[in-house]
Short mmCIF file of all heavy atoms in Angstrom, two decimals:
data_model
loop_
_atom_site.label_atom_id
_atom_site.label_comp_id
_atom_site.label_asym_id
_atom_site.label_seq_id
_atom_site.Cartn_x
_atom_site.Cartn_y
_atom_site.Cartn_z
N LEU G 1 0.85 -1.18 0.00
CA LEU G 1 0.00 0.00 0.00
C LEU G 1 0.89 1.24 0.00
O LEU G 1 1.84 1.34 0.78
CB LEU G 1 -0.91 0.00 1.23
CG LEU G 1 -1.83 -1.22 1.38
CD1 LEU G 1 -2.64 -1.11 2.66
CD2 LEU G 1 -2.74 -1.36 0.19
N PRO G 2 0.61 2.20 -0.86
CA PRO G 2 1.47 3.39 -0.96
C PRO G 2 1.31 4.30 0.26
O PRO G 2 0.40 4.12 1.07
CB PRO G 2 0.97 4.07 -2.24
CG PRO G 2 -0.43 3.62 -2.39
CD PRO G 2 -0.47 2.21 -1.86
N PRO G 3 2.19 5.30 0.44
CA PRO G 3 2.17 6.16 1.64
C PRO G 3 0.84 6.87 1.85
O PRO G 3 0.39 7.01 2.97
CB PRO G 3 3.31 7.15 1.39
CG PRO G 3 4.21 6.45 0.43
CD PRO G 3 3.33 5.60 -0.44
N GLY G 4 0.18 7.32 0.80
CA GLY G 4 -1.05 8.06 0.97
C GLY G 4 -2.15 7.25 1.62
O GLY G 4 -3.06 7.79 2.25
N VAL G 5 -2.11 5.91 1.49
CA VAL G 5 -3.15 5.05 2.04
C VAL G 5 -2.82 4.69 3.48
O VAL G 5 -3.70 4.37 4.27
CB VAL G 5 -3.30 3.78 1.17
CG1 VAL G 5 -4.38 2.87 1.73
CG2 VAL G 5 -3.63 4.18 -0.26
N THR G 6 -1.55 4.76 3.87
CA THR G 6 -1.14 4.29 5.19
C THR G 6 -1.29 5.33 6.28
O THR G 6 -0.88 5.12 7.41
CB THR G 6 0.32 3.83 5.14
OG1 THR G 6 1.14 4.94 4.76
CG2 THR G 6 0.50 2.71 4.14
N THR G 7 -1.85 6.50 5.98
CA THR G 7 -2.02 7.52 7.00
C THR G 7 -3.24 7.26 7.87
O THR G 7 -3.50 8.01 8.80
CB THR G 7 -2.16 8.90 6.34
OG1 THR G 7 -3.27 8.87 5.44
CG2 THR G 7 -0.89 9.25 5.58
N ALA G 8 -3.99 6.21 7.53
CA ALA G 8 -5.18 5.89 8.33
C ALA G 8 -4.74 5.27 9.65
O ALA G 8 -3.56 5.05 9.91
CB ALA G 8 -6.09 4.95 7.56
N SER G 9 -5.74 4.95 10.50
CA SER G 9 -5.44 4.41 11.82
C SER G 9 -4.97 2.98 11.73
O SER G 9 -5.04 2.33 10.69
CB SER G 9 -6.70 4.50 12.70
OG SER G 9 -7.70 3.63 12.18
N ALA G 10 -4.52 2.46 12.90
CA ALA G 10 -4.08 1.06 12.95
C ALA G 10 -5.20 0.11 12.65
O ALA G 10 -4.99 -1.01 12.20
CB ALA G 10 -3.47 0.77 14.32
N GLY G 11 -6.44 0.53 12.95
CA GLY G 11 -7.58 -0.33 12.65
C GLY G 11 -7.67 -0.65 11.18
O GLY G 11 -8.02 -1.76 10.79
N THR G 12 -7.39 0.29 10.33
CA THR G 12 -7.42 0.05 8.89
C THR G 12 -6.39 -1.01 8.51
O THR G 12 -6.65 -1.89 7.68
CB THR G 12 -7.15 1.35 8.12
OG1 THR G 12 -8.13 2.31 8.48
CG2 THR G 12 -7.21 1.11 6.62
N MET G 13 -5.23 -0.96 9.13
CA MET G 13 -4.23 -1.98 8.85
C MET G 13 -4.71 -3.36 9.31
O MET G 13 -4.48 -4.38 8.67
CB MET G 13 -2.92 -1.62 9.57
CG MET G 13 -2.26 -0.35 9.06
SD MET G 13 -1.80 -0.45 7.29
CE MET G 13 -3.19 0.45 6.54
N GLU G 14 -5.39 -3.38 10.46
CA GLU G 14 -5.90 -4.66 10.95
C GLU G 14 -6.97 -5.21 10.01
O GLU G 14 -7.00 -6.41 9.73
CB GLU G 14 -6.47 -4.48 12.36
CG GLU G 14 -6.97 -5.79 12.98
CD GLU G 14 -7.50 -5.57 14.39
OE1 GLU G 14 -7.47 -4.43 14.88
OE2 GLU G 14 -7.96 -6.56 14.98
N GLU G 15 -7.85 -4.34 9.52
CA GLU G 15 -8.86 -4.79 8.58
C GLU G 15 -8.22 -5.34 7.31
O GLU G 15 -8.64 -6.38 6.78
CB GLU G 15 -9.79 -3.62 8.23
CG GLU G 15 -10.66 -3.16 9.37
CD GLU G 15 -11.42 -1.89 9.02
OE1 GLU G 15 -11.43 -1.54 7.82
OE2 GLU G 15 -12.01 -1.28 9.91
N ALA G 16 -7.23 -4.62 6.82
CA ALA G 16 -6.54 -5.09 5.62
C ALA G 16 -5.91 -6.46 5.85
O ALA G 16 -5.96 -7.35 5.00
CB ALA G 16 -5.48 -4.06 5.20
N GLU G 17 -5.30 -6.62 7.03
CA GLU G 17 -4.67 -7.90 7.34
C GLU G 17 -5.71 -9.02 7.41
O GLU G 17 -5.48 -10.14 6.92
CB GLU G 17 -3.91 -7.79 8.67
CG GLU G 17 -3.12 -9.04 9.01
CD GLU G 17 -2.29 -8.86 10.26
OE1 GLU G 17 -2.36 -7.76 10.86
OE2 GLU G 17 -1.59 -9.80 10.63
N ILE G 18 -6.88 -8.73 8.03
CA ILE G 18 -7.94 -9.75 8.12
C ILE G 18 -8.46 -10.13 6.74
O ILE G 18 -8.65 -11.31 6.42
CB ILE G 18 -9.08 -9.23 9.02
CG1 ILE G 18 -8.60 -9.12 10.46
CG2 ILE G 18 -10.29 -10.15 8.93
CD1 ILE G 18 -9.60 -8.45 11.39
N LEU G 19 -8.68 -9.11 5.89
CA LEU G 19 -9.16 -9.40 4.53
C LEU G 19 -8.15 -10.23 3.75
O LEU G 19 -8.50 -11.19 3.06
CB LEU G 19 -9.46 -8.09 3.80
CG LEU G 19 -10.65 -7.27 4.33
CD1 LEU G 19 -10.77 -5.96 3.56
CD2 LEU G 19 -11.94 -8.07 4.22
N LEU G 20 -6.88 -9.84 3.88
CA LEU G 20 -5.85 -10.60 3.17
C LEU G 20 -5.75 -12.03 3.70
O LEU G 20 -5.55 -12.99 2.94
CB LEU G 20 -4.50 -9.90 3.31
CG LEU G 20 -4.32 -8.62 2.49
CD1 LEU G 20 -3.03 -7.92 2.88
CD2 LEU G 20 -4.33 -8.94 1.01
N ALA G 21 -5.90 -12.19 5.03
CA ALA G 21 -5.85 -13.54 5.60
C ALA G 21 -6.99 -14.40 5.06
O ALA G 21 -6.81 -15.58 4.73
CB ALA G 21 -5.91 -13.46 7.12
N ARG G 22 -8.19 -13.82 4.97
CA ARG G 22 -9.32 -14.59 4.45
C ARG G 22 -9.11 -14.96 2.99
O ARG G 22 -9.38 -16.08 2.56
CB ARG G 22 -10.61 -13.78 4.60
CG ARG G 22 -11.83 -14.52 4.06
CD ARG G 22 -13.12 -13.84 4.41
NE ARG G 22 -14.25 -14.60 3.91
CZ ARG G 22 -15.52 -14.25 4.07
NH1 ARG G 22 -15.81 -13.14 4.75
NH2 ARG G 22 -16.50 -14.99 3.58
N ILE G 23 -8.62 -13.99 2.21
CA ILE G 23 -8.35 -14.29 0.79
C ILE G 23 -7.33 -15.41 0.67
O ILE G 23 -7.49 -16.35 -0.13
CB ILE G 23 -7.86 -13.01 0.08
CG1 ILE G 23 -9.00 -11.99 0.00
CG2 ILE G 23 -7.34 -13.34 -1.31
CD1 ILE G 23 -8.56 -10.61 -0.47
N CYS G 24 -6.27 -15.36 1.47
CA CYS G 24 -5.21 -16.36 1.35
C CYS G 24 -5.69 -17.73 1.84
O CYS G 24 -5.26 -18.76 1.32
CB CYS G 24 -3.98 -15.91 2.13
SG CYS G 24 -3.15 -14.49 1.37
N GLU G 25 -6.56 -17.77 2.86
CA GLU G 25 -7.11 -19.07 3.28
C GLU G 25 -7.87 -19.73 2.13
O GLU G 25 -7.72 -20.93 1.87
CB GLU G 25 -8.05 -18.86 4.47
CG GLU G 25 -7.35 -18.56 5.78
CD GLU G 25 -8.35 -18.30 6.91
OE1 GLU G 25 -9.57 -18.44 6.65
OE2 GLU G 25 -7.92 -17.94 8.01
#
């Protein structure tokens, strides 16, 4: 994710991680 997208809160990162985990499963 580029710098402009990473200025959100840690929750956004957690959501992204959960979505990626589900996709990879």
